[in-house]
Amino acid sequence: MGTKLERTVEISATTPKPEFTSLYHLINAEMLTQCHKELDGKKAVGIDKVTKAEYDVHGEGCSTTRLVEVADQIIKDAKIIYQNVWIVFDKDDFDDFDQAIQEDINRGYNVAWSNQSFEYWLYLHFYYSDTALHRHQWNAKLDEIFKKNNLGNGTYQKNYDDIYSLADIYGGVNAAIKHSKCRMAEFEKGGYKPSEYDPGTMVYKLVESLEEYLE
């Protein structure tokens, strides 16, 4: 197991009375971690009765099917009960994309996938597009947007600490959810594999579940 997973297991094992009774577990979603940081812990719980303190976020850099194994191990070794598990990953160049999604679903996990990359989801905060592009092209488009709007240091960087706030300019999150639903409407009818639906993203479903807690 990687060091992050080992630390998670160690913390769980040394906590006699863990506070978590319900949580969303995010794996390989470094940018969505910022959403968690900006949750308003003083707000009332949502309809799922989950408070900010009951959300847990883990990032694991590994292949898509390996993420399933990591999630299984964390849940098995933890001293807390995971009621809602979210696996977040991109297609990138992985050949096991569809397999990993199906394995997650078979285990009862929620999957917020993006094809080709998470950058497509970010792009939808500003514009709609149904054009299949390589992930590097989505990065380039975000560069143009960040430069035009003077966001960050004028270029897109995946590791901005305030990436959520930057993308939410001009009501970006609501726009991204609207654009995603429009793009994914045909996919939801069935008949497509996630790997075949390019571009595509299911991240909006996770964000909708978190949105009630955002400041």
Side-chain angles (χ1 to χ4, degrees):
M1 285 182 285
T3 56
K4 290 182 180 179
L5 178 55
E6 290 173 346
R7 288 200 298 271
T8 302
V9 174
E10 180 181 356
I11 292 172
S12 297
T14 56
T15 303
K17 295 182 178 180
E19 299 178 359
F20 302 105
T21 59
S22 171
L23 56 110
Y24 283 78
H25 198 92
L26 314 182
I27 298 179
N28 203 28
E30 62 271 19
M31 284 192 284
L32 285 179
T33 301
Q34 181 61 25
C35 292
H36 176 267
K37 291 180 181 178
E38 299 192 18
L39 295 180
D40 186 352
K42 296 180 181 180
K43 287 188 175 182
V45 298
I47 58 175
D48 57 1
K49 305 303 181 183
V50 182
T51 65
K52 176 180 179 180
E54 295 172 331
Y55 281 79
D56 195 13
V57 181
H58 289 274
E60 298 291 337
C62 49
S63 67
T64 48
T65 50
R66 173 58 181 154
L67 286 175
V68 182
E69 299 173 4
V70 172
D72 288 343
Q73 193 64 53
I74 291 176
I75 293 170
K76 177 182 178 182
D77 295 338
K79 303 299 181 182
I80 54 182
I81 299 174
Y82 295 106
Q83 292 184 353
N84 297 286
V85 180
W86 280 91
I87 311 293
V88 184
F89 56 83
D90 304 339
K91 182 183 184 300
D92 291 333
D93 293 322
F94 293 117
D95 295 328
D96 57 356
F97 188 62
D98 295 322
Q99 176 187 348
I101 291 173
Q102 191 57 54
E103 288 184 8
D104 289 332
I105 293 174
N106 291 344
R107 285 168 166 77
Y109 301 159
N110 301 285
V111 188
W113 56 264
S114 293
N115 184 11
Q116 276 199 350
S117 68
F118 191 85
E119 278 68 28
Y120 173 62
W121 158 253
L122 289 180
Y123 180 83
L124 294 178
H125 286 65
F126 304 93
Y127 303 105
Y128 176 79
S129 178
D130 57 7
T131 303
L133 299 176
H134 190 273
R135 62 182 180 277
H136 296 318
Q137 292 175 288
W138 289 119
N139 286 7
K141 284 186 172 292
L142 286 174
D143 262 337
E144 295 174 1
I145 292 172
F146 273 57
K147 180 179 180 180
K148 177 182 178 181
N149 293 282
N150 194 29
L151 300 176
N153 63 6
T155 61
Y156 168 66
Q157 296 180 22
K158 197 170 185 176
N159 60 350
Y160 279 129
D161 288 337
D162 57 346
I163 189 63
Y164 172 81
S165 297
L166 294 176
D168 195 35
I169 188 173
Y170 312 130
V173 170
N174 290 334
I177 293 174
K178 179 181 178 180
H179 291 157
S180 296
K181 288 181 176 179
C182 179
R183 172 56 186 159
M184 300 308 293
E186 189 66 25
F187 177 85
E188 295 286 11
K189 295 178 182 178
Y192 294 93
K193 293 180 179 179
S195 62
E196 298 171 342
Y197 209 77
D198 182 10
T201 182
M202 287 295 190
V203 175
Y204 77 92
K205 291 190 174 182
L206 170 56
V207 174
E208 279 190 316
S209 72
L210 291 170
E211 197 176 32
E212 186 173 352
Y213 303 92
L214 297 178
E215 296 178 338

